[in-house]
Amino acid sequence: MTTTVSAPDVAPSDAEPSPPRKRRRRPSLPYLLLVPAIVLELAVHVLPMLTGVWMSLRELTQFQIRDWSSAPFVGLDNYRVTLDFNSAIGKELLHSFWVTIAYTVLVVGLAWVIGLAAAVVLQRPFRGRALLRTLFLTPYALPVYTAVITWSFLLQRDTGALNHVLVDQLGLVDDRPFWLIGGNSFWSLVLVSVWRCWPFAFLCLMAGLQSVPQDLYEAAYMDGAGFWRRLRAVTLPMLRPVNQVLLLVLFLWTFNDFNTPYVLFGKGAPDEADLISIHIYESSFVTWNFGLGSAMSVALLLFLSVVSGLYLFLTRKARSDA
Amino acid sequence: MFKRRLAAIAVGALLASTLAACGGDDSGDDAKTLTYWATNQSTSLEKDAEILRPELEKFEKQTGIKVKLEVVPWSDLLNRLLAAATSGQGPDVVNIGNTWSASLQATNAFVQFDDATLEKVGGKDRFVPAALAASGAEGKPPTAVPLYSLAYSLYYNKKMFAEAGIANPPTTWEQLVADGKKLTKDGKWGLAIEGAHVSENAHHAFTFSQQYGGEWFDASGKPTFDTQQNAQAIKRYIDFIAVDKITNPGNAEYSQNQSVADFATGKAAMLLWQTVGSQLTLRNMKPEDWGVAPVPFLASPPAGGKKVNSMVAGINIAIFKHSKNQEGALDFVKFMTSDEEQIQLNKTYGSLPSVTTVGDDPAFAKPEQKNTQQTLVTTAAPLPQVPEESQFETLVGTLMKDLFADAARGKAPTEDQIRDKLKQAQEQVK
């Protein structure tokens, strides 16, 4: 677009240089209009991030918090404590890290598969499609707190609806299982998160599918491609740019998810479902050790940046290779 | 061009002023206003505002100082207090949970109530000693003064006790277990427990440990989690589910006052709680159906065991050092701890006065309040008044939640296993 428009402008100016006054005139308004955005970006994102890095190098507990800018500098001590996986603090953090990895892989994978299935099913028009679309989006539209607190009621052992169905109505198990404590708490968390996340995947993939030309499907159909073949050869390759962004966003959201576990389990998440965001919150806010909490946050930030960077690099490479 | 620049400058100025407005100062900037953050003491934030507003108007009439009120939910309060302490901006006067006293004292963000300052609000002797002891580290001037006082009691269902042929409420844990076994039948249970409630677990860890002669911190403030006494104490509490089986295993996941609901609906015959009478009435339990007694002790306490059966629970009121209206803030604290307000507010909330002068008022003559008062005066002790107290609550309370989760699935913890977990928790205190 831009090249075709600018080309005629460039050609005459090469042949016949325009007067210097005209050339020097640079429009400053667009830059000025960007200033508020840049200021806000700095204020909202960059400064707090830098403050976090600064805090992670200090000993910042309740003793220093009032005059926090004078908290003593301790170098990399907080990182040493955080990343010493033989100590109790490091061990707990590492455990929490693995729990979070497992949780993220499961939630992103399941949310994506369910979202894709729903988007593909709803691709062709049929009666009630609009209704189903709206219905599918409900979990995404509900406020987190309301949605998750409802789940916590459903999952209670003695009075929850899930056990009522499993034990009292279907008789599948004799002993009422716990869903909010012990090992099952991890699966409850995965279930609730998938329930909350998949509509977003569905929404993005549905939008992506709109741009797939119908004639590609028709051509594939004429060539005798069945449903799975068309999915693999047409739908997925065409959705590649959408997937690239979608998976990254889902990964980051899920990995950092705080609200779902916090509302589901309250203070003190079960060991089996101790996600890293909650773990860091408890290591800083609840135990008043902000330097240590910041060091954990910065370590997490670095990890997520590296993973995101690698992901973007690899997917871009894969795309240009293709 | 000039016009453009002017426009840009205008945009910039507008932006700057918006940002400045965001970081506005809440605190009263003249002698005629105060900002007060109150805690959630009744059924809702609105209800609290409704209860407090007439009193604040009374204060305004007396002194001409207008009080801006905000009732802060418990889930936000600590974060908001920390933010105010860090930024030096925020309210003048705040309510704090008394277990946070020493931690907040360490921030040095609050006015110290040394003897001279205490004199201005009526003097040291005016306050109930146990309550004042829970307002900062020993030997240092308090960081707040007590406002509402509470303590744990044993609540029991009179009808269920009569049906099981039990004449009196238990006074020892051994009796409680024996009674609990008689009461546990037909889907009903002896004792209800809030097993996933981190703070409440920690409160019981403290009380039981005192009875076994344990301590969570030594005199120099170092954590002493990993002791036999503490392990025994925690085992005693967990065993109600794990060994005695007088508590429904489902209680292991309770953290939203479900145990109060179980007690009110007759699913459990006993409950350990802080002044819960008004809540029971709200849940349609008739006042004549329940009785109240002191929390039990061990039948034969080991050497060093203390006669403590409750923490000193309660709310303190504190003044931020950054307040520009210190005199007005002190007047307000004096007003809130005056005889008249202490009777009025504690009566409404079902708590007890923190001052010694009004304890005999008929408003506090009901058995529940008498029992709480007796406990506070004789057998209650404050939680450790050390800056790391909140770490103790989180670490030990969570560890107990996990132990309850195991116990509920049939895994009774041994003393050694508990000691191992306590050791791990202690290593995380920093």
Side-chain angles (χ1 to χ4, degrees), chain B residues 46 121 288:
Chain B
E46 293 74 31
V121 294
E288 61 270 23

Side-chain angles (χ1 to χ4, degrees), chain A residues 168-282:
Chain A
D168 303 338
Q169 292 185 328
L170 299 176
L172 290 177
V173 267
D174 293 332
D175 206 15
R176 305 182 87 86
F178 282 98
W179 296 104
L180 294 173
I181 53 177
N184 287 346
S185 58
F186 176 78
W187 298 106
S188 304
L189 186 60
V190 169
L191 173 78
V192 177
S193 293
V194 169
W195 176 85
R196 262 185 52 68
C197 274
W198 80 264
F200 178 73
F202 164 67
L203 193 69
C204 291
L205 293 168
M206 194 171 65
L209 282 178
Q210 306 293 317
S211 64
V212 181
Q214 200 55 36
D215 41 356
L216 280 180
Y217 284 110
E218 280 162 18
Y221 189 73
M222 297 297 275
D223 289 343
F227 170 78
W228 294 107
R229 186 65 208 250
R230 272 176 306 188
L231 183 71
R232 236 176 23 190
V234 180
T235 311
L236 288 179
M238 293 303 285
L239 282 178
R240 195 178 188 122
V242 175
N243 278 332
Q244 191 193 355
V245 178
L246 175 66
L247 287 176
L248 183 65
V249 168
L250 278 180
F251 164 75
L252 291 176
W253 281 356
T254 312
F255 201 94
N256 278 324
D257 193 8
F258 181 84
N259 292 330
T260 314
Y262 192 70
V263 179
L264 199 58
F265 303 123
K267 218 173 144 191
D271 215 24
E272 294 87 348
D274 187 21
L275 291 193
I276 205 147
S277 53
I278 295 278
H279 193 86
I280 293 178
Y281 170 75
E282 296 209 332

Side-chain angles (χ1 to χ4, degrees), chain B residues 159-171:
Chain B
K159 217 169 117 200
M160 288 169 84
F161 266 57
E163 279 168 10
I166 308 166
N168 294 307
T171 55

Side-chain angles (χ1 to χ4, degrees), chain A:
Chain A
M1 271 290 272
T2 41
T3 45
T4 50
V5 174
S6 59
D9 285 349
V10 175
S13 69
D14 273 349
E16 187 189 77
S18 52
R21 197 175 158 262
K22 208 176 170 187
R23 266 196 105 167
R24 275 211 342 256
R25 214 182 110 194
R26 283 224 181 105
S28 53
L29 188 64
Y31 295 100
L32 280 171
L33 287 178
L34 277 178
V35 167
I38 292 170
V39 168
L40 279 178
E41 171 65 21
L42 282 175
V44 175
H45 278 133
V46 179
L47 278 181
M49 221 146 69
L50 291 178
T51 314
V53 174
W54 182 89
M55 271 166 69
S56 71
L57 302 173
R58 308 269 155 168
E59 185 190 326
L60 188 55
T61 60
Q62 63 260 55
F63 295 99
Q64 296 89 21
I65 180 173
R66 184 169 170 241
D67 192 12
W68 55 279
S69 54
S70 66
F73 180 79
V74 291
L76 294 176
D77 268 11
N78 287 324
Y79 290 92
R80 232 165 268 145
V81 173
T82 304
L83 301 175
D84 174 7
F85 298 126
N86 291 319
S87 78
I89 292 177
K91 225 184 270 172
E92 293 280 322
L93 184 73
L94 191 65
H95 166 80
S96 167
F97 177 77
W98 290 122
V99 170
T100 314
I101 293 275
Y103 164 79
T104 310
V105 168
L106 281 167
V107 171
V108 173
L110 288 170
W112 183 80
V113 168
I114 300 173
L116 179 72
V120 169
V121 167
L122 293 197
Q123 199 181 2
R124 290 169 160 277
F126 60 89
R127 262 175 81 109
R129 185 167 76 147
L131 182 76
L132 271 184
R133 266 186 189 167
T134 319
L135 206 64
F136 283 177
L137 288 176
T138 319
Y140 189 62
L142 283 175
V144 190
Y145 188 86
T146 322
V148 180
I149 202 87
T150 311
W151 273 105
S152 83
F153 294 141
L154 293 177
L155 293 169
Q156 277 176 13
R157 174 183 181 259
D158 293 333
T159 50
L162 182 66
N163 274 357
H164 184 64
V165 173
L166 286 182
V167 183
D168 303 338
Q169 292 185 328
L170 299 176
L172 290 177
V173 267
D174 293 332
D175 206 15
R176 305 182 87 86
F178 282 98
W179 296 104
L180 294 173
I181 53 177
N184 287 346
S185 58
F186 176 78
W187 298 106
S188 304
L189 186 60
V190 169
L191 173 78
V192 177
S193 293
V194 169
W195 176 85
R196 262 185 52 68
C197 274
W198 80 264
F200 178 73
F202 164 67
L203 193 69
C204 291
L205 293 168
M206 194 171 65
L209 282 178
Q210 306 293 317
S211 64
V212 181
Q214 200 55 36
D215 41 356
L216 280 180
Y217 284 110
E218 280 162 18
Y221 189 73
M222 297 297 275
D223 289 343
F227 170 78
W228 294 107
R229 186 65 208 250
R230 272 176 306 188
L231 183 71
R232 236 176 23 190
V234 180
T235 311
L236 288 179
M238 293 303 285
L239 282 178
R240 195 178 188 122
V242 175
N243 278 332
Q244 191 193 355
V245 178
L246 175 66
L247 287 176
L248 183 65
V249 168
L250 278 180
F251 164 75
L252 291 176
W253 281 356
T254 312
F255 201 94
N256 278 324
D257 193 8
F258 181 84
N259 292 330
T260 314
Y262 192 70
V263 179
L264 199 58
F265 303 123
K267 218 173 144 191
D271 215 24
E272 294 87 348
D274 187 21
L275 291 193
I276 205 147
S277 53
I278 295 278
H279 193 86
I280 293 178
Y281 170 75
E282 296 209 332
S283 307
S284 49
F285 261 90
V286 182
T287 55
W288 306 68
N289 197 333
F290 305 96
L292 197 63
S294 299
M296 290 181 183
S297 303
V298 173
L300 185 68
L301 180 76
L302 286 178
F303 169 76
L304 289 179
S305 312
V306 168
V307 171
S308 308
L310 266 180
Y311 174 81
L312 288 176
F313 175 74
L314 289 176
T315 47
R316 184 183 278 180
K317 195 162 174 291
R319 212 153 32 135
S320 57
D321 287 353

